[in-house]
Amino acid sequence: MASYDVIIIGAGPGGYVSAIRCAQLGLKTAIVEGRETLGGTCLNVGCIPSKALLHATHMLHEAEHNFGAMGLKGKSPSVDWNQMKSYKDEVIGQNTGGVEFLMKKNKIDWLKGWASIPEAGKVKVGDDTHEAKNIVIASGSVPSALPGVEVDNDSGIVVDSTGALALPKVPKKMVVIGAGVIGLELGSVYARLGTEVTVVEYMDAVCPGMDKDVQRGFKRILEKQGLTFIMGAAVQGVETTKTKGKVKYQLKKGGDEETLDADVVLVATGRKPYAEGLGLDALGVKMTERGQIATDGHWATNVQGIYAIGDVIEGPMLAHKAEDEGMAVAEVIAGKHGHVNYGVIPGVVYTTPEVATVGQTEDALKAEGRKVKVGKFNFMGNARAKAVHQAEGGFVKLITDAETDRVLGAAIIGPGAGDLIHEICVAMEFGASAEDIALTCHAHPTYSEA
Ligand code: NAI
């Protein structure tokens, strides 16, 4: 039995970042991970592999659609799907290997296996029980189930995001259930590979909760890229044969049940917190109504010495939110002050163009009765965006307090949006006004001028 100041359960972006910070603060730290590699969902079956496939297929799209116009003539590249998956796996390997190196470098023990907490102050991994003054649960999330739909990633017909990253072949027809971030990113990947992609969404807009202008513009852009949308449709179930899936749905406005045939059905209807097998019930750890671990302002649960961060607690399921919480909880455990500004957490969809948002939406502020000023600049007026064929339909929208001009939120759809948004994040952290941003000299020609 080993004894630690902190044992972190889960080596995703929340857990491994927290472990490093704990070690830097002089705490004897171990991390428990049952997967073969470190990095959690994000590095193994989430953000990183999907970004590799988005990059590769964007290159293909450019070659097929834009090269000719720029005088780059010749046959478009053909797709070697197995090679593309190998490239993706190589990217995963580099990143997970990097995390393993960081664990060693910071003298953090990797306890291999799945953890449970037999009692406060103890973590069991396999046959070994370790002592821990503090335990941080960073066990993440898993795809949530949809009634009437059975996901089977091995068969490759009805899959979740994990299965969709490793399909045996590029399907002819794909139905994506859910027009959220996963559905639109992976739907884009396959549409660019030539798959006929139909997205079935329950709500009347894509990316529920996002700025309305972005929702409308984004959907239009994706339609131009070949995705078909069926909105206001509740999926009732999926029937499968040996090789195909039949998606049954009902439009909210009424009518008969309708069906769609597909070679692959991607279920992307959200994720749920994952804390199975930890033994939280027996410990009496309080949960929220939505199945998240309930924490206070210092990421402490109701059980002394047990903390929780990331997807398994409240808030957006985003890697960078988990990372920030991971660092903050380490500070708290070390007796310092940990803080996360939940008002300034950006969200990015890595399609082309990218979509990025931060802060509050115009609608939410107006619903609160706040007087706001909205500034919008279209990328059609941005020379750089036009030069790279990414001006159409894109814009930067800034929402400020009508009286003080303080920036309250922003939404960007356009080239490099996922990087541009951080200028607004910094401005918001400093309580800047829109005028402060406008008076800052921006290099020409850049997207950031927008
Ligand atoms: P999501 O919550 O973003 O979207 C799910 C969509 O499915 C919603 O639009 C919902 O209305 C729809 N839906 C639910 N039930 C339905 C039904 N029966 N029929 C039709 N439509 C239905 O969930 P998603 O895309 O699965 O992502 C899960 C989590 O992972 C999110 O929290 C997301 O933030 C995170 N994520 C973030 C990424 C990023 O930051 N780029 C990338 C991938 C995932």
Side-chain angles (χ1 to χ4, degrees):
M1 183 199 289
S3 180
Y4 295 94
D5 292 319
V6 192
I7 293 183
I8 290 157
I9 300 174
Y16 79 72
V17 168
S18 190
I20 293 170
R21 191 70 195 126
C22 285
Q24 286 171 343
L25 292 167
L27 301 165
K28 187 165 186 247
T29 308
I31 193 160
V32 191
E33 176 55 59
R35 260 182 227 269
E36 294 296 310
T37 48
L38 301 173
T41 298
C42 172
L43 269 64
N44 289 284
V45 288
C47 324
I48 300 303
S50 62
K51 260 79 271 178
L53 293 183
L54 280 159
H55 174 67
T57 55
H58 172 60
M59 295 285 126
L60 175 69
H61 179 92
E62 287 294 287
E64 286 176 344
H65 299 274
N66 291 329
F67 274 16
M70 294 187 287
L72 300 168
K73 302 288 187 186
K75 246 174 59 191
S76 311
S78 61
V79 176
D80 180 339
W81 177 233
N82 285 331
Q83 173 64 32
M84 198 180 281
K85 285 191 290 183
S86 301
Y87 148 69
K88 173 209 69 177
D89 292 339
E90 215 172 282
V91 173
I92 295 172
Q94 285 165 1
N95 282 281
T96 55
V99 174
E100 199 172 335
F101 166 77
L102 287 173
M103 294 301 108
K104 283 188 190 134
K105 187 179 159 210
N106 287 284
K107 301 189 172 50
I108 297 158
D109 290 343
W110 174 6
L111 310 174
K112 292 184 188 177
W114 302 101
S116 60
I117 311 173
E119 60 187 275
K122 290 202 162 61
V123 175
K124 189 165 182 280
V125 185
D127 295 332
D128 301 326
T129 302
H130 307 271
E131 272 178 8
K133 289 191 195 114
N134 302 279
I135 298 168
V136 178
I137 302 170
S139 48
S141 61
V142 290
S144 49
L146 188 60
V149 183
E150 202 177 315
V151 168
D152 178 3
N153 286 330
D154 292 331
S155 80
I157 299 173
V158 183
V159 298
D160 56 26
S161 52
T162 302
L165 289 166
L167 292 178
K169 59 178 194 212
V170 176
K172 283 207 171 66
K173 273 191 185 182
M174 176 184 258
V175 170
V176 176
I177 308 176
V181 194
I182 292 181
L184 299 183
E185 287 187 352
L186 290 176
S188 289
V189 164
Y190 284 99
R192 293 171 192 166
L193 290 168
T195 303
E196 199 182 295
V197 177
T198 306
V199 183
V200 185
E201 165 59 47
Y202 179 76
M203 305 297 277
D204 298 314
V206 302
C207 295
M210 218 182 240
D211 178 273
K212 285 226 163 60
D213 289 337
V214 169
Q215 288 178 329
R216 275 191 290 265
F218 191 25
K219 179 163 168 275
R220 233 177 284 135
I221 288 171
L222 292 171
E223 279 168 338
K224 272 202 163 170
Q225 292 176 5
L227 280 85
T228 305
F229 288 89
I230 300 174
M231 307 302 289
V235 169
Q236 317 281 345
V238 179
E239 277 171 14
T240 49
T241 64
K242 261 198 186 133
T243 54
K244 288 206 184 322
K246 191 188 277 294
V247 178
K248 298 182 288 179
Y249 68 92
Q250 176 113 42
L251 291 173
K252 278 192 292 182
K253 64 182 183 208
D256 294 337
E257 186 178 86
E258 315 220 18
T259 60
L260 278 171
D261 290 328
D263 305 304
V264 172
V265 179
L266 165 59
V267 185
T269 50
R271 297 179 63 87
K272 60 173 186 194
Y274 180 75
E276 252 150 67
L278 291 178
L280 301 187
D281 256 5
L283 283 166
V285 172
K286 242 200 233 152
M287 308 295 282
T288 69
E289 275 173 14
R290 301 179 60 196
Q292 301 140 326
I293 297 176
T295 52
D296 67 10
H298 295 103
W299 304 278
T301 69
N302 62 313
V303 178
Q304 175 79 28
I306 302 183
Y307 299 82
I309 57 163
D311 284 10
V312 79
I313 69 167
E314 241 181 299
M317 289 184 171
L318 296 170
H320 43 283
K321 174 254 191 192
E323 289 174 356
D324 285 13
E325 288 174 343
M327 285 187 281
V329 78
E331 302 281 339
V332 168
I333 290 169
K336 298 173 183 288
H337 298 285
H339 177 71
V340 175
N341 182 358
Y342 287 102
V344 187
I345 293 183
V348 180
V349 192
Y350 297 87
T351 43
T352 303
E354 289 178 350
V355 176
T357 56
V358 67
Q360 287 179 274
T361 62
E362 181 184 355
D363 285 332
L365 287 161
K366 284 183 173 161
E368 268 176 25
R370 285 287 282 273
K371 283 208 175 72
V372 296
K373 228 167 54 186
V374 174
K376 203 171 155 194
F377 187 89
N378 292 329
F379 274 105
M380 280 310 267
N382 179 275
R384 182 73 184 281
K386 279 211 285 233
V388 301
H389 295 124
Q390 280 200 48
E392 216 179 313
F395 58 83
V396 175
K397 177 173 172 177
L398 215 53
I399 304 126
T400 65
D401 184 284
E403 273 155 35
T404 63
D405 195 35
R406 190 179 173 138
V407 180
L408 302 174
I412 307 175
I413 176 164
D419 290 296
L420 291 186
I421 197 73
H422 297 98
E423 175 172 354
I424 311 299
C425 295
V426 173
M428 288 176 73
E429 283 287 355
F430 280 84
S433 65
E435 189 183 31
D436 291 324
I437 299 174
L439 291 178
T440 305
C441 182
H442 287 74
H444 176 77
T446 57
Y447 307 132
S448 64
E449 286 174 286

